[in-house]
Amino acid sequence: MIVAHLGSGASMCALADGRSIESTMGFTALDGLPMGTRPGQIDPGVLLYFMEQKGMSANQIQDLLYRDSGLKGLSGISNDMRELEASPASGAALAIEYFVYRIALNAGMLAAALNGLDAFIFTAGIGENSTTIRARVAEKLRWLGVDLDTAANDSGGPLISRPRSKVAAYVIRTDEELMIARHTVAFLSVPMRRSGSSGPQMSAV
């Protein structure tokens, strides 16, 4: 399956048998999908151009990439998808179209990494709440076998694909705080067991 975490921060992950085998993220959170204020994948030559031709410092480029790019930079309006969807401005339409396009493009890459696809999951702020973005992404994924159920999508799912859809599409609400807690407990517990520590053992959340 592919999990599309679409929010102010956005990424996609390919999972096989519950394990991540590929992701849109890179060395930092700047890579991959365009986000609220971050550009996503960008040609490294652009950064050299900023330095050599525009005289920008490393700090200025960092501010641009982390705070003034992505949906905000493309639209010239906002990093909030709700505001962009409500705006008649051409910049807002451009930002939305680019966001959807990059999701679809990366879905193809991740499906290739999986050698096929059984399910596509929408989650996080935009993925959970924007029926329009889900519909536009699903339309671009028809070639993969996604057949959207419009009524189910409008009601928020969780299953938003038709029974005949070759690839099931879902809306799954994320609980990042719970997952952080579980992974923290697991991380702290394993070293103590391996070291034979006589200290107190942490229980699972």
Side-chain angles (χ1 to χ4, degrees), residues 140-203:
K140 287 188 175 293
L141 299 183
R142 286 183 66 87
W143 71 276
L144 277 173
V146 175
D147 189 354
L148 186 70
D149 183 326
T150 301
N153 182 46
D154 290 343
S155 66
L159 179 65
I160 60 172
S161 55
R162 297 182 186 277
R164 65 173 179 266
S165 183
K166 294 179 181 178
V167 173
Y170 293 91
V171 179
I172 304 295
R173 299 207 169 270
T174 188
D175 192 338
E176 294 175 274
E177 290 79 8
L178 177 59
M179 293 308 299
I180 290 170
R182 285 177 172 171
H183 284 298
T184 300
V185 168
F187 178 78
L188 293 176
S189 298
V190 172
M192 288 190 290
R193 291 199 299 269
R194 287 177 177 172
S195 65
S197 170
S198 60
Q201 300 295 304
M202 301 184 72
S203 60

Side-chain angles (χ1 to χ4, degrees), residues 87-170:
S87 173
S90 60
L94 171 65
I96 293 172
E97 179 62 29
Y98 184 70
F99 184 67
V100 171
Y101 173 75
R102 296 299 300 188
I103 293 168
L105 197 68
N106 280 273
M109 175 192 75
L110 297 177
L114 290 166
N115 293 316
L117 190 63
D118 297 318
F120 190 94
I121 314 298
F122 292 94
T123 191
I126 298 172
E128 294 171 19
N129 298 301
S130 177
T131 59
T132 301
I133 294 298
R134 292 199 300 265
R136 292 181 65 166
V137 170
E139 178 62 28
K140 287 188 175 293
L141 299 183
R142 286 183 66 87
W143 71 276
L144 277 173
V146 175
D147 189 354
L148 186 70
D149 183 326
T150 301
N153 182 46
D154 290 343
S155 66
L159 179 65
I160 60 172
S161 55
R162 297 182 186 277
R164 65 173 179 266
S165 183
K166 294 179 181 178
V167 173
Y170 293 91

Side-chain angles (χ1 to χ4, degrees), residues 14-92:
L15 295 111
D17 299 321
R19 295 180 63 86
S20 169
I21 64 167
E22 186 59 85
S23 170
T24 59
M25 284 291 186
F27 178 69
T28 70
L30 287 175
D31 201 7
L33 300 178
M35 308 176 208
T37 60
R38 289 170 284 188
Q41 185 178 10
I42 189 170
D43 182 346
V46 173
L47 310 184
L48 297 176
Y49 173 81
F50 284 153
M51 296 173 66
E52 295 174 356
Q53 302 298 321
K54 297 297 183 179
M56 294 176 68
S57 67
N59 286 337
Q60 288 175 318
I61 294 173
Q62 179 171 287
D63 285 342
L64 174 65
L65 295 179
Y66 278 96
R67 297 181 177 87
D68 292 312
S69 298
L71 298 177
K72 180 181 178 182
L74 282 169
S75 69
I77 298 171
S78 174
N79 65 324
D80 192 320
M81 182 58 75
R82 294 167 296 185
E83 292 184 33
L84 298 181
E85 289 184 322
S87 173
S90 60

